[in-house]
Structure formats: structure tokens, C-alpha cells
């Protein structure tokens, strides 16, 4: 009888726990997914529809165990990324998705590989033409595919300082020669106005170098900005400065 009472108590406990899990699951099951789309399209209805369809798979899932990474998987491989994701208990998710804008182009054979501002691959095309405004993307030359994300990160610093990238820069060129001992790698931003911005030893202190280069750029006359080169340099003492070399 003693063991019977324990068994009954155990069964009641298991049944209660199962009922509790079911109730919690129903209370916190996702019922509403509110989507905000940040896009460059004039009509975002198609993008909204695709996002709504992709995210609908999470309806009925427990909000307690749903993460932003799970939500991100729903739009993985598309031209959109999750900009923000907020869980509103008991049953709502607010999601903002942002269009991945083409910024960079890498020539590979007869095709261009297009990348977004984070250096993530988007598509291939026979022409270097942006799919939104039909103007050229910033072409990357001398840069291996595995380096694109690093260059994109540096280009973001350039954009922050100069206030633009695609509208200002025609191409970004890496001058590197690992076979020569002591060779100083150089990253060049070839501006559309004709001037070249060069960052020597570009992986070291590039934020400071781009900052001093921008200050030097602002000190140039309009005529000087049509040609020549502004170089960001760091010496052995850690002093970072910029020089202008006319052509």
C-alpha cells in the first residue's frame, strides 16, 4: 500500500507537470508576428509578403524558447537581414528586416560577384551595375574573396569619415606583395574626383589613419582634389599623419 501511494503521487505529479507544460505552451505560443520592412524599393508589399510567409513557420512555437538566431534563419539566403527582433509576452514578435544593399563588386572571370556593405555575397552579374539604382558598385581589385569582409569593415570607417562610399569611391585596390620581406601593404581608395586615398600598412590603426587622411583631404583646394594622392602613415614612434603628394 505504501508503494502504491507513492506510485499514485508520482503519476499525479507527472500529470500535473505535463498539464503545466501544455498550459504554458499554449499561453506563450506565438500568435502575432508584426513585420517592419526597411527597403529601397518604392513598393515594399512584395518584400513584406515574402518576409511574412518566411516567418509564419514560427507561429505556434513557444515564445520562451524562440531566439533572434532562429528568426534570422528564416531570412537567411535572402536580400534581407534582421535589424531588430523584440519578443512581447505573451504571444507577439516584432521584427524589423532591412534590405542588404549592394556596395562592392569583384570581377571573377566574365562575371561580377556582388557583395553588401558587410562583405556578404549577394549575386552574380555580367555587368557592374547596382540592382537598385543601376549605377556602378565599388569595384575591389587585388583583393581575395576571403578578404572582402575585412575590406568592407575598413570601407565602413571610410564611409563614416567621408560621408559616403559608392557616391565617392570608384574602386578600392590592395597593393600587397608577401613575397618581398618588409613590403608595406597599401590600400587605395580611388575617388571618382581623381584623387587617391592611400592607407599604408592598412591593417594597423586604420581608423586613425583614415581620420587624419580625411582632415588632410578637407584642407585641399578643389583643384588639388582632382589629382594626386593623400597618404595615411604611421611611423615607428606610433605617430600617425597624412601627406599630400601632387601629380
Amino acid at each position: 500500500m505504501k508503494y502504491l501511494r507513492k506510485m499514485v503521487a508520482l503519476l499525479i505529479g507527472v500529470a500535473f507537470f505535463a498539464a503545466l507544460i501544455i498550459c504554458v505552451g499554449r499561453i506563450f505560443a506565438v500568435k502575432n508576428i508584426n513585420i517592419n520592412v526597411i527597403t529601397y524599393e518604392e513598393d515594399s508589399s512584395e518584400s513584406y509578403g515574402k518576409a511574412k510567409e518566411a516567418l509564419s513557420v514560427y507561429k505556434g512555437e513557444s515564445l520562451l524558447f524562440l531566439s533572434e538566431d532562429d528568426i534570422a534563419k528564416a531570412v537567411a539566403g535572402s536580400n534581407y537581414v534582421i535589424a531588430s527582433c523584440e519578443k512581447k509576452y505573451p504571444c507577439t514578435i516584432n521584427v524589423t528586416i532591412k534590405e542588404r544593399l549592394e556596395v562592392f563588386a569583384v570581377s571573377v572571370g566574365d562575371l561580377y560577384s556582388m557583395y553588401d556593405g558587410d562583405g556578404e555575397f549577394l549575386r552574380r552579374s555580367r555587368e557592374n551595375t547596382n540592382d537598385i539604382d543601376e549605377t556602378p558598385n565599388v569595384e575591389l581589385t587585388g583583393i581575395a574573396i576571403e578578404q572582402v569582409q575585412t575590406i568592407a569593415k575598413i570601407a565602413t570607417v571610410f564611409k563614416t569619415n567621408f560621408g559616403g562610399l559608392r557616391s565617392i569611391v570608384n574602386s578600392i585596390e590592395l597593393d600587397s606583395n608577401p613575397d618581398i620581406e618588409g613590403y608595406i601593404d597599401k590600400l587605395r581608395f580611388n575617388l571618382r574626383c581623381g584623387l587617391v586615398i592611400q592607407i599604408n600598412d592598412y591593417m594597423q590603426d586604420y581608423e586613425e589613419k583614415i581620420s587624419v587622411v580625411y582632415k588632410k583631404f578637407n584642407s585641399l583646394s578643389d583643384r588639388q582634389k582632382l589629382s594626386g594622392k593623400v597618404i595615411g602613415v604611421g611611423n615607428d614612434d606610433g605617430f600617425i599623419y597624412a601627406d599630400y603628394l601632387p601629380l
Side-chain angles (χ1 to χ4, degrees), residues 4 36 50 65 81 86-87 89-91 93 135 184 206 224 246:
L4 180 60
N36 180 42
K50 289 181 179 179
F65 304 109
V81 294
E86 179 186 18
K87 296 195 288 188
Y89 290 97
C91 58
I93 302 175
T135 60
I184 298 176
Y206 61 81
Q224 287 175 316

Side-chain angles (χ1 to χ4, degrees), residues 44-45 50 87 107 134 158 165 185 193 210 233:
S44 63
S45 58
K50 289 181 179 179
K87 296 195 288 188
S107 179
E134 297 185 351
F158 180 96
L165 188 64
D185 292 342
C193 62
I210 291 175
V233 181

Side-chain angles (χ1 to χ4, degrees), residues 13-25:
V14 171
F16 176 78
F17 182 74
L20 180 63
I21 293 297
I22 293 172
C23 290
V24 169

Side-chain angles (χ1 to χ4, degrees), residues 110-114 123-129:
D110 295 330
L111 297 174
Y112 286 97
S113 294
M114 306 301 187
R123 68 183 180 97
R124 291 184 175 85
S125 174
R126 291 195 175 278
E127 296 181 356
N128 179 12
T129 304

Side-chain angles (χ1 to χ4, degrees), residues 12 67 104-106 135 147 184 209 214 219:
I12 292 174
S67 68
F104 304 108
V106 178
T135 60
Q147 296 174 297
I184 298 176
K209 290 175 182 176
Y214 177 64
S219 71

Side-chain angles (χ1 to χ4, degrees), residues 195-200 209 212-217 219-220 224 228-234 239-246:
L195 188 72
V196 175
I197 301 295
Q198 179 173 299
I199 308 300
N200 286 4
K209 290 175 182 176
V212 297
V213 159
Y214 177 64
K215 291 177 182 178
K216 188 67 176 180
F217 172 82
S219 71
L220 301 180
Q224 287 175 316
K229 183 183 296 183
V230 177
I231 304 176
V233 181
F239 180 68
I240 295 173
Y241 60 97
D243 275 339
Y244 170 68
L245 301 179

